[in-house]
Amino acid sequence: MKYSKSLIPTLREDPADAECVSHKLMLRAGLIRQVTRGSYDYLPLGLRVIRKVEKIVREEMDAAGCQEVLLPIVIPAELWQESGRWERYGKELLRVKDRSNRDFCIGPTHEEVITDLVRREIKSYRDLPKNLYQINTKYRDEVRPRFGLMRGREFIMKDGYSFHTSVEDLDRHYEVMKNAYLKIFQRCGLDARAVEADTGSIGGYSSHELVVLADTGESIIATCGKCDYTASAEIAASARPSAKKSKASSTVKEVHTPSLKTVEEVASYLKVEPSQMIKTLIYLTDKGLIVALIAGNLELNEVKLTNATGAAFLTMADEAAVKKLTGAEVGFAGPVSLPAEVQGIGKVRIIADISIEGISNAVTGANKTDYHLTGVCDARDFKAEKYIDLSSVKKGDVCPKCGKGKLDIVRGIEVGQVFKLGTKYSEALKAVFLDENGKEKPMIMGTYGIGIGRTAAAAIEQNNDENGIIWPLPLAPFHVELISVGEDSKVSETAEKIYAELMKNGIEVLFDDRAGRPGVKFADADLIGIPYQAIIGKKAIEQGKIEFKIRKTGERKMVGAKDIIDLINKELH
Ligand code: ATP
Ligand code: MG
């Protein structure tokens, strides 16, 4: 492709509203432009990268025996009502009406649509298993779209769904898919790993996220230094010693703690360890008020709490709700003598971390402004509905798998996710098959997604320098950028010839044929980040050579056109 004919609007300066490297560089290198918050135009270079990711995905999915389909983006509400997600999915679901006032949504994910297709077309165990996938536009009305293609509202996803006759068959296929996903990211030139994950709003019973390690990532991951344990911090556990149990104290005492609200303030004032304090956090949910208890030295993990409550949503209670429940200002809540119900809000449920089980002589809020209680004991002074792991893992915690290694906490970008769904959707939508004995059974499902644009963005996060992008060859919009220097007719003739020769040999070339200052062309070439640059200058062509620059290392050498072809072919295959 000739630069002069393309649309590559590079920018010299960092756009003010871009928060992370890939977002900045995608805008600066002219790959994308924002239309509105979270929606982008893909310009020629950007689209080429997207197509490369898609090609790798298709090749690996086809190799794993999956079949490509294409499903509608505008989905009738009835399907989502059948699964129950029309009510549950919340504000991320963009709902629209057609001219006859019928409800539709713009698909954020396609479990319902695919299950509907399969229930109509597949009836027998003989036709299973099947894995159907598509690469299509998704829409999620994200609260905070940001980081460019990383978290858009309209974005391209590969989503696949598998249907099985048994859990064992799903388990087998799940491993195939996880490995295919790892291969996809490896082929994209990314360092990705499979991380045990939460099953979130999609539901299901087992899941892994495919995560590319990057400091700018939004996913937080716990990894063990000694074994292969890697889990999303949202669900990661740690091997924790049970709470230190001392003898129950004789009485609960109220102490005056004026304006002391934080765990640290109260602990140091009363001269107790933070682990002897019961931190009390209050949440509003669709299932009433949740009072979560955890030792003062630990952080509450809201994903674990959400899973424990079975709530569809969970938000921190505001001051008014806290006051209604405790009668005190924020900072003085505790589990002792709480009402079972708050009028106008709902039932009160106490859920405690295991650090609270059997705790005695503890300090906690007195449900009275400026007062705390000491000598508080679990079971005697309050009782939680359950005691489960609710804490966030910390760097240095003991690995729950090997029990020896220390956990490290790292950040990453979730580029894909695989789920074992089970029968959640097949039961709701009655996707059944007849087994060998003619018995009707719900199909067992898996679901598998990859963010196509997010993968491209993650590749930039992992591969860039102060001059711009450094594309891994498999994702690069072109393999070589040919740059003619100076407006000499011999130079442009030679450049045209080499351009034709490279293309004839299947090398993808961007030919910067623009008139203009060499400095500008070189800067654009580094910014766009095509892995190899072939520079046609007057001096070099006199020796029948091309100056060849490797973008990643900056290394330069004089080579012939044939050498370039050989080199790229070797790297690509
Ligand atoms: P996240 O936790 O980042 O919001 P998710 O877990 O909701 O993502 P999935 O439903 O698992 O996302 O979707 C499959 C893949 O689609 C994700 O792994 C991610 O790569 C991509 N993806 C999800 N949301 C977005 C988005 N808003 N913009 C771009 N890609 C996205
Ligand atoms: Mg996910």
Side-chain angles (χ1 to χ4, degrees):
M1 186 168 77
K2 289 195 172 165
Y3 205 122
S4 61
K5 301 234 164 24
S6 188
L7 176 63
I8 311 175
T10 56
L11 306 170
R12 284 282 86 87
E13 305 294 329
D14 278 343
D17 52 352
E19 295 155 288
C20 71
V21 180
S22 59
H23 188 192
K24 275 182 201 152
L25 289 175
M26 278 197 173
L27 289 167
R28 281 192 53 202
L31 303 181
I32 55 166
R33 284 294 182 265
Q34 181 175 299
V35 179
T36 181
R37 258 162 51 89
S39 292
Y40 292 87
D41 296 319
Y42 300 91
L43 275 49
L45 287 187
L47 186 60
R48 286 186 71 98
V49 175
I50 294 292
R51 295 286 182 248
K52 296 247 164 138
V53 179
E54 292 177 351
K55 183 165 183 286
I56 293 173
V57 168
R58 282 201 173 90
E59 285 171 6
E60 292 305 324
M61 288 302 99
D62 295 349
C66 310
Q67 300 296 311
E68 186 169 359
V69 292
L70 191 59
L71 307 171
I73 296 171
V74 179
I75 305 171
E78 291 77 22
L79 283 179
W80 278 64
Q81 282 155 354
E82 259 190 89
S83 72
R85 282 208 289 188
W86 183 258
E87 286 74 33
R88 272 208 321 273
Y89 206 87
K91 288 195 169 169
E92 266 186 31
L93 189 66
L94 185 65
R95 296 153 213 252
V96 289
K97 282 188 190 292
D98 73 356
R99 61 168 79 203
S100 329
N101 217 26
R102 276 185 65 199
D103 286 316
F104 289 83
C105 66
I106 315 285
T109 174
H110 275 73
E111 282 78 9
E112 285 82 354
V113 177
I114 197 86
T115 310
D116 174 50
L117 170 68
V118 168
R119 73 174 164 185
R120 284 184 279 127
E121 305 305 329
I122 295 181
K123 309 277 180 213
S124 161
Y125 72 95
R126 285 191 209 91
D127 302 321
L128 294 171
K130 284 267 183 303
N131 184 319
L132 303 170
Y133 77 96
Q134 64 168 344
I135 297 180
N136 207 347
T137 296
K138 293 276 181 277
Y139 198 95
R140 293 182 184 179
D141 199 352
E142 299 265 355
V143 208
R144 219 147 79 83
R146 57 193 174 143
F147 303 147
L149 298 194
M150 204 81 92
R151 185 170 295 286
R153 292 202 285 186
E154 179 169 324
F155 59 98
I156 304 171
M157 195 204 284
K158 174 262 155 178
D159 49 323
Y161 309 87
S162 68
F163 297 84
H164 307 266
T165 54
S166 68
V167 170
E168 294 71 35
D169 195 52
L170 168 65
D171 289 348
R172 173 199 59 77
H173 186 68
Y174 184 83
E175 290 306 312
V176 172
M177 290 304 287
K178 200 166 70 184
N179 290 332
Y181 270 33
L182 285 168
K183 180 130 181 251
I184 286 168
F185 297 119
Q186 184 207 342
R187 280 189 61 191
C188 289
L190 289 168
D191 175 11
R193 53 195 73 187
V195 170
E196 273 178 49
D198 178 47
T199 46
S201 68
I202 305 255
Y205 58 91
S206 173
S207 173
H208 284 83
E209 284 172 2
L210 283 296
V211 174
V212 163
L213 298 187
D215 292 340
T216 47
E218 292 180 282
S219 301
I220 300 173
I221 300 146
T223 61
C224 174
K226 278 235 161 64
C227 73
D228 63 353
Y229 182 76
T230 314
S232 158
E234 286 184 344
I235 59 148
S238 58
R240 289 196 276 156
S242 48
K244 222 173 38 202
K245 318 247 172 357
S246 47
K247 279 255 157 56
S249 102
S250 47
T251 46
V252 173
K253 286 202 189 87
E254 198 175 86
V255 287
H256 195 209
T257 49
S259 309
L260 303 177
K261 294 183 182 180
T262 67
V263 166
E264 292 70 30
E265 287 166 355
V266 180
S268 85
Y269 179 71
L270 296 176
K271 299 197 173 47
V272 295
E273 289 294 320
S275 58
Q276 274 305 110
M277 298 217 22
I278 302 171
K279 196 152 56 173
T280 308
L281 298 142
I282 300 156
Y283 290 90
L284 296 171
T285 75
D286 55 324
K287 300 239 154 65
L289 262 167
I290 302 286
V291 176
L293 308 179
I294 189 162
N297 59 329
L298 302 174
E299 286 303 320
L300 184 95
N301 179 323
E302 291 185 358
V303 173
K304 289 182 184 175
L305 181 64
T306 309
N307 291 342
T309 56
F313 71 86
L314 187 124
T315 49
M316 200 94 185
D318 53 18
E319 272 177 49
V322 171
K323 201 147 196 188
K324 259 189 156 170
L325 171 71
T326 66
E329 275 169 32
V330 172
F332 300 97
V336 181
S337 311
L338 279 177
E341 191 163 349
V342 175
Q343 252 206 337
I345 304 185
K347 285 214 157 45
V348 177
R349 293 168 61 191
I350 301 180
I351 297 187
D353 178 63
I354 48 176
S355 57
I356 301 303
E357 190 164 21
I359 200 167
S360 53
N361 288 334
V363 175
T364 191
N367 297 325
K368 182 170 165 189
T369 303
D370 287 343
Y371 285 89
H372 278 80
L373 300 178
T374 60
V376 173
C377 300
D378 173 38
R380 186 192 69 186
D381 305 319
F382 65 91
K383 192 144 183 42
E385 175 186 313
K386 48 183 155 182
Y387 299 82
I388 48 163
D389 174 29
L390 292 178
S391 85
S392 296
V393 284
K394 301 188 300 298
K395 187 180 165 74
D397 279 355
V398 176
C399 171
K401 188 167 175 189
C402 67
K404 293 190 196 100
K406 293 264 165 74
L407 294 180
D408 193 13
I409 306 289
V410 292
R411 298 187 80 95
I413 300 163
E414 178 202 320
V415 282
Q417 186 156 17
V418 290
F419 287 92
K420 288 184 192 173
L421 271 177
T423 54
K424 181 173 164 146
Y425 293 91
S426 51
E427 277 183 11
L429 276 84
K430 302 190 184 55
V432 294
F433 67 98
L434 293 179
D435 72 4
E436 289 96 325
N437 307 314
K439 205 169 151 226
E440 201 171 75
K441 287 188 175 154
M443 297 180 196
I444 318 276
M445 288 174 62
T447 168
Y448 318 89
I450 291 182
I452 302 289
R454 195 183 278 186
T455 300
I460 300 179
E461 291 291 330
Q462 278 193 342
N463 302 283
N464 67 78
D465 66 10
E466 66 283 4
N467 298 322
I469 305 170
I470 307 173
W471 284 111
L473 190 59
L475 296 195
F478 290 92
H479 303 139
V480 182
E481 179 164 343
L482 186 67
I483 305 165
S484 61
V485 179
E487 278 158 47
D488 182 280
S489 62
K490 187 101 189 293
V491 166
S492 44
E493 264 167 45
T494 314
E496 288 284 352
K497 246 174 47 206
I498 292 172
Y499 177 52
E501 196 176 343
L502 290 172
M503 286 204 297
K504 206 173 79 203
N505 281 278
I507 306 292
E508 298 170 16
V509 198
L510 174 66
F511 176 16
D512 191 348
D513 59 335
R514 294 175 300 171
R517 291 213 320 274
V520 172
K521 294 169 98 173
F522 294 148
D524 277 341
D526 279 358
L527 175 60
I528 291 166
I530 292 169
Y532 302 112
Q533 297 171 15
I535 302 153
I536 316 285
K538 207 166 168 194
K539 257 212 221 114
I541 56 172
E542 278 161 12
Q543 304 156 17
K545 297 273 184 196
I546 304 165
E547 187 182 351
F548 183 67
K549 179 180 158 188
I550 300 175
R551 169 67 181 90
K552 187 169 184 173
T553 58
E555 189 190 333
R556 291 167 189 268
K557 51 187 169 188
M558 303 304 279
V559 298
K562 173 87 178 46
D563 298 321
I564 298 184
I565 295 165
D566 288 349
L567 193 139
I568 292 170
N569 280 334
K570 211 168 86 202
E571 256 208 62
L572 278 176
H573 300 108

